Amino acid sequence: MAVIFGASGDIGGAIAQRLAKAGWSLYLHYTHNQTKVDALQRDLATHYPKQDFVTVAYDFTQPSEATAFAAQLVGIDAVVFAQGQTYYHLFADSTAAELQALMQVHLLTPMLLLTSLQRTLARSGHGRIVFIGSVYGASGSAMEVGYSTVKGAQSAFVHAYAQEVASLGITVNVVAPGAVDTQMNAMFDPETLAAVKEEIPAARLAQPADVSYYVNMLMQVDASYLTGQTLYVTGGWLA
Ligand SMILES: NC(=O)c1ccc[n+]([C@@H]2O[C@H](COP(=O)([O-])OP(=O)(O)OC[C@H]3O[C@@H](n4cnc5c(N)ncnc54)[C@H](OP(=O)(O)O)[C@@H]3O)[C@@H](O)[C@H]2O)c1
């Protein structure tokens, strides 16, 4: 059983589709968008009737609830962190509430969840943890300084934590996209998105399936010797 945090999002949904096709049973996490995750659950249950698909709700801005939430997840062999949010403005205009939310959603709550889930992840001898990071964690980005900071911290965490759990057979990696065609980028007008596209050597934004491909690769039992890494899936952009 795998848990996909942010399964109600565009990238998380694509990961759910890809992992279900590969035979995984899944916990599908959401925060606000129950309608979308319910539709995903019904779709997967129809196509893969021998697998289990269970929806679970949890707001990562409530880190004190992480241990209790993790306790309801049974038989976890793999964890994918595909939840996330950003704010687009100058750093000097950031509020404490925004910076706190970025740190909780991308970093603190995932770390707390893993302290609870490590024991069950170790059981199979091939536990898997994948974060959806960002190339901004390495390159940085004006207007998204707080977001770039927590994305870089995800990679730093993975680099260190992978060394602690390698002997348990658990791999820990980041898949770090560039610009992906999802609702997270819906705030940008078509001209801005066209300008970004021009900068990308592959000449297009990523589709969520471009990201889920590498997540599925890292989830495989044979993918046991790659850990502590950040894979930049950017079409050659900024990497
Ligand atoms: N789109 C891009 O260009 C891009 C590029 C690089 C990296 N990424 C990263 O990829 C991941 C997925 O992004 P996406 O583009 O798929 O975005 P998305 O479609 O907006 O999905 C965001 C997901 O995060 C969940 N979420 C939001 N606030 C949350 C909270 N407080 N607690 C827990 N979960 C919360 C959402 O749940 P609900 O909808 O149910 O509230 C949703 O499932 C993020 O980590 C993002 O930083 C995206």
Side-chain angles (χ1 to χ4, degrees), residues 152-212:
Q154 285 182 333
S155 289
F157 168 70
V158 159
H159 201 184
Y161 184 51
Q163 297 173 44
E164 253 188 41
V165 293
S167 63
L168 302 173
I170 301 173
T171 67
V172 196
N173 291 290
V174 177
V175 171
V180 190
D181 186 11
T182 75
Q183 60 190 338
M184 203 180 224
N185 288 320
M187 64 177 142
F188 297 113
D189 57 50
E191 291 75 34
T192 307
L193 287 175
V196 171
K197 205 157 72 174
E198 263 184 32
E199 286 179 21
I200 300 172
R204 65 175 178 88
L205 267 63
Q207 291 302 313
D210 292 314
V211 180
S212 67

Side-chain angles (χ1 to χ4, degrees), residues 11-235:
I11 294 174
I15 293 168
Q17 290 285 357
R18 179 92 65 174
L19 295 189
K21 193 172 179 189
W24 286 90
S25 288
L26 300 170
Y27 283 106
L28 303 167
H29 160 265
Y30 70 100
T31 308
H32 305 104
N33 207 336
Q34 183 172 5
T35 310
K36 191 165 169 193
V37 91
D38 280 350
L40 176 67
Q41 191 268 344
R42 280 194 301 273
D43 181 46
L44 296 178
T46 304
H47 285 92
Y48 309 102
K50 293 186 178 159
Q51 296 157 232
D52 296 320
F53 302 101
V54 181
T55 64
V56 285
Y58 175 39
D59 186 340
F60 277 31
T61 62
Q62 307 298 319
S64 60
E65 294 169 18
T67 307
F69 174 80
Q72 66 174 296
L73 304 175
V74 180
I76 298 295
D77 302 306
V79 181
V80 180
F81 290 107
Q83 80 297 338
Q85 61 177 113
T86 189
Y87 302 97
Y88 193 76
H89 53 58
L90 291 170
F91 179 65
D93 295 330
S94 303
T95 65
E98 287 173 352
L99 295 174
Q100 188 176 31
L102 285 170
M103 291 190 200
Q104 289 170 336
V105 170
H106 292 272
L107 197 62
L108 177 62
T109 298
M111 289 169 79
L112 290 171
L113 287 168
L114 288 175
T115 61
S116 295
L117 292 172
Q118 180 179 310
R119 185 187 290 266
T120 169
L121 281 165
R123 239 171 243 149
S124 69
H126 43 80
R128 298 285 176 264
I129 302 167
V130 179
F131 280 76
I132 306 303
S134 168
V135 71
Y136 286 176
S139 68
S141 177
M143 306 296 279
E144 290 184 84
V145 173
Y147 175 83
S148 300
T149 302
V150 293
K151 287 309 203 185
Q154 285 182 333
S155 289
F157 168 70
V158 159
H159 201 184
Y161 184 51
Q163 297 173 44
E164 253 188 41
V165 293
S167 63
L168 302 173
I170 301 173
T171 67
V172 196
N173 291 290
V174 177
V175 171
V180 190
D181 186 11
T182 75
Q183 60 190 338
M184 203 180 224
N185 288 320
M187 64 177 142
F188 297 113
D189 57 50
E191 291 75 34
T192 307
L193 287 175
V196 171
K197 205 157 72 174
E198 263 184 32
E199 286 179 21
I200 300 172
R204 65 175 178 88
L205 267 63
Q207 291 302 313
D210 292 314
V211 180
S212 67
Y213 174 84
Y214 292 98
V215 175
N216 183 44
M217 183 187 80
L218 292 169
M219 299 284 280
Q220 297 181 24
V221 172
D222 287 351
S224 61
Y225 209 62
L226 186 90
T227 193
Q229 303 302 307
T230 299
L231 298 186
Y232 293 101
V233 181
T234 66

